[in-house]
Structures are given as C-alpha cells and as structure tokens.
Amino acid sequence: MTEFEGIAPALGRALANRGYETLTQVQKAVLEPEMSGRDALVSAQTGSGKTVAFGLAIAPTLLGDEERFGSAGLPKALAIAPTRELALQVMRELEWLYADTGARVVSCVGGMDMRTERRELQRGAHIVVGTPGRLCDHIRRGALDISELKAVVLDEADEMLDLGFREDLEFILGESPEDRRTLLFSATVPRAIADLARNYQRDALRITAQGEQRQHVDIEYRALTVAPADRENAIINVLRYYEAANAIVFCATRAAVNHLTARFNNRGFSVVALSGELSQNERTHALQAMRDGRARVCIATDVAARGIDLPNLELVIHADLPTNAETLLHRSGRTGRAGRKGVSAIIVPKNAQRKAERLLKFAKVQAEWATPPSAEMVIERDNERLLADASLSQPVAEEEQDFVTQLLKRHGAEQVAAAFVRLYRGNRSAPEDIMEVAPGAPSTGPERKVRDGFAESRWFSLSVGRKQNAEPRWLLPLLCREGKISKREIGAIRMEQQETFVEIEAGSADSFLKAIGPKKMLEDTIRVKAVDGPPAGGRPGGPRRSFDSDGPHGKPAKKPHRKGGAGKSDWKDRPRENAGRTKKARKSFD
C-alpha cells in the first residue's frame, strides 16, 4: 500500500517505505475528521504506535497545505517525554516519518552537552523533542524560544507526573502560545492528568483506544513458579532455553540490576545494565550494544527502560514482580511489537503466587502457569538447535575439502562430531539444576498457612542456634539449596540456644544427607547430624509449624514476654554483626 487516506502525501510515502500496510487503532483515531485542529487527551497503551499517531496528528497544523517545510527557524512543534531514552526514540521516529518534508528535528535531553544543543537550536528547528527539565533550562536561558509553537505533545504524561515533572510541564505550557494545540498521550488518565488537561487544553477531544489490549496478542505470557532460593537460577535457564536475539530482565532496584549484571557476566552472558545511576553516555552505549548484537541481555529498572524500543526483542523476564498491572503491561509491551512474536516470563517465587495472580487478573492477561525449564530441557533444546544449525546443511567448500578429509582420516567421524558438540556447548553457559516446585494455578480460596503433618519424618540437628543469631528466614533457603529439597519437604523448625532441630519428610531424608555430602556440613560452617527423634516439646508428625521461632510459612512466632535479661534475649534482638560462624551462610540469603 502506498497511499493512506487523510495523511499528507510525504508522510504516507514514509509509512509505505517503512513497511506499514495498515494503521493501529490510535493512529486511525487521530485522523478522524472531528480531530482536525483540536486538542486531544489520548489514552493508549505503550507499543500502540503513539509516536507515529501524534506525528500524523500534528502534521496538518505544521504543514498546512504545503508538502515541505521552509527554512528552519523557531520551532513549530514541541514533543516532551519523561526519559532521555524515550525522547531520543521519539526523535528517531519523527525523523523518518517527516523525512520527505525537510523537517529539522532537534533533541534537548538531560545528560547531553547543553552547548551542543544550544548550537543546534541556533541553527533553527521545526520540531524540538526533549525532557521536561532540560527544556525548562533552555527556555530560561533564552536558548529555546517557543513563542511560535503551533503544537505541544506530552508523551507518557502520566509517567512524567509520577516522576515529579508537574511544575516543569506547567512552566513550559505557560510559556507557550495560548492558541497552540495541546495533545496529551497517557497510558492511564488519573485525576492529575485530568486536571492538567482541564487547565491547559481547550475543547479537548477524549480518545480512548478501546481494544488496544490486542497489542499483547503476539505476547506469550508464562508465569514460572520457583522456590525463592532458585529465582536467579530460573532466570539463567529461561535465557538459555529461549536463546533470544535480545532479552530484557526487569528488576525492582538498581542494586538488583548491579547484582544480576555481575552474576550473568560471570556466567558468560553478553549483558549490559540500564539503570538510573548510569550516565547518559553509558546508557546510550548499552542500548547501542543491544541493537548491533554485541550484547543480547539487558538488565534494567522500570524507569530506565521506559519507552525504549529494541527491534529484535524476543524475551522479557520479570526478575522481580511488577508493582502493579500497568507496569506489567509496560514491561511486557517491549516485546511482541509490529507483528513480531514475543515471550513475557514472570518469575514467581512460591510465596508470592497470590500477588502474581492478582497482577495478572488486574492486567487482564492470561498466563500459562508452569515451572522454569530444567537443565535437561535446556540441553534438549540446545540439541535441537544444533541439529538445525545451517552449517550442517551447507555443502563442503572446495577449499575445505582437503582439511576435512585429513580430520576424518586422523580422528574419525565420531570423534570429530563429538568435538563439534563440545565446541557448540562450550560457548554457552551451563544450565542450572532447579528444585522441583509444583507450578502455580489460580487459587479458588484463601491460601493455607499450615498444612497437615508428615506421616513419617526424621529429625536433624544443626550446630547453630539463637546464640549465633540463626534465623529461619535464611536457614530455610539454605537447607533447600544445599540439601536439594523443597520447602514443603521441611516440617517444623525448633531453635535452641546452641543448636537448631529440623524436621524433614522421611522419604526425602536420605537424598538430603546425600546432597550435603559425607562431611555433613552446610556452607562449610554448619554441622548436620541425625537425631533419634524430635527435641523435647516437639511432636513427631505434627503440623507444619515452628515451636519457638519463625516457621517456614508463618510470621515470627509470638513468645511470652518474660521479665529479666535472660528471658528477653532472643534471636530477633541480637545484633546481626555478632553472627559469628554463620555469617557466610547468611550472606547468600539476607
């Protein structure tokens, strides 16, 4: 298709050259006759083609009856975005969309050289794209004159208000001409956005892109239930299983980004980080590394990744659960764009399953509940990829023939094939063993905090107790990890001053002993020994609870308050720095 109804010919050609055959719903909505010359408040989800939509919407206002712009002078349009990456992405989109119109698009974003931006503005611009803070700086310093603006676009307006840019936006809108067009694009329309629209728009048309949820029709959602201690191992196996051209792993904090980046680098993944503590130059290089193939995995926080577009992004992993449904959709919307398929894998620790179910329900997303790929599944997938490798189907080249014959003569076909397999696998990180956890499924009733006791169980003593500041919240994942058992195979935990007694399901006791090795040690610091039965006060086969400490499922057990120094000293009150020999064990789980 080379023509689009209601679109300036120059922009229509740009769309055709870009491979557009049809417009998205929001793009069609802004071209309706009733939209002509009016302000608009548009709610549409990320990935719905909003940048192209507002580019099309403001074109008649900027060009009039002309096909091309005249010489660049004071800007005619201003597009404001919340983050540097999104602003630069908007600039790139507008550059190709307006390429045949002779438009000069200039960016003004934080973290870039202000002097360079000032020189670019002095040369003239038709459209300026920027972040609120930097635009305010240029306006106040007289470098940016917005007295001739015909249109202002606020992209991701809800995000800009969340980031605290309200005063900057009000200043920019207050300085611009009163007869300008103002277009607000927002994924949601909370009260703050409605107030902003009421104060700075005139006769605004309200556009709600109903059915924009279909943008996620090309995204396969998978909720992967894991033991809490296996979260990172699950991410590694998901990355290895899919071997995506580009993948993003979303974390909740900068510290988590730094931790995962370091670990994945050590595991041989080509990985870059994207967080707010990086300079603009570092963030630009990270994204470029993803685009040109030097890196395949990006570890990012939500704000740092706001609005970025990676053309070959096939996989999104939620290392930490999103805080709300909007964040879930925004993260996932980085993939499955422009007709391409994508996978959104949500890592769900077993103790956070209910929260994940609520998120999916509020986001109106149907996810397949499963467990992460096992090491065997990853290896099987590797074998499938190896068998389908194009190099195995290509004919032997003439210049290769002599050496191929020499290889086969010296080592034989079987040995050469084995070497090929080793080389193939050697370039990839080994998959991780993951504890078996039953995959989650939507709950139909309240979550049970206590389950029935084991029919048969065995007890073990650990050489650590309250005096060493032992805490069930790190002992439990330590037992699961070192003993290769799941949380449900551990029963009661009773903590004494110098030792801790742990109940383990009888059928799992032998495998637990085998996993911790002949030395019977956990993390080389805690001795484990079998005992004949439960400690005094315990009940064999009793319900899964703790006697006088945290249990695996519950809150800290309440202890009767006794007057006097000795009675008040329990593990919750002791300073953590006195943990002594348990410090190494705690480090992995705190």
Side-chain angles (χ1 to χ4, degrees), residues 294-312:
R294 287 179 289 119
R296 298 179 63 179
V297 181
C298 177
I299 317 292
T301 56
D302 291 312
V303 172
R306 188 79 184 185
I308 66 172
D309 184 21
L310 296 171
N312 297 315

Side-chain angles (χ1 to χ4, degrees), residues 166-183:
R166 185 184 187 94
E167 290 185 3
D168 290 339
L169 294 176
E170 291 179 341
F171 170 76
I172 295 170
L173 293 172
E175 291 293 312
S176 59
E178 291 187 3
D179 61 348
R180 68 179 187 277
R181 289 183 67 192
T182 307
L183 281 67

Side-chain angles (χ1 to χ4, degrees), residues 83-103:
T83 65
R84 292 171 282 192
E85 284 73 29
L86 182 55
L88 295 176
Q89 179 186 316
V90 168
M91 183 184 73
R92 289 192 296 269
E93 292 284 293
L94 293 179
E95 282 179 334
W96 70 255
L97 183 61
Y98 280 84
D100 285 355
T101 67

Side-chain angles (χ1 to χ4, degrees), residues 202-219:
R202 296 171 290 105
D203 188 29
L205 180 65
R206 180 73 170 87
I207 297 176
T208 301
Q210 302 287 350
E212 284 298 336
Q213 64 271 17
R214 289 189 57 81
Q215 66 175 307
H216 289 251
V217 73
D218 290 326
I219 301 175

Side-chain angles (χ1 to χ4, degrees), residues 514-534:
K514 182 179 179 180
I516 63 176
K519 293 183 178 180
K520 304 290 190 294
M521 300 285 286
L522 299 176
E523 291 278 352
D524 297 326
T525 59
I526 302 174
R527 294 187 303 277
V528 180
K529 65 177 181 180
V531 292
D532 293 336

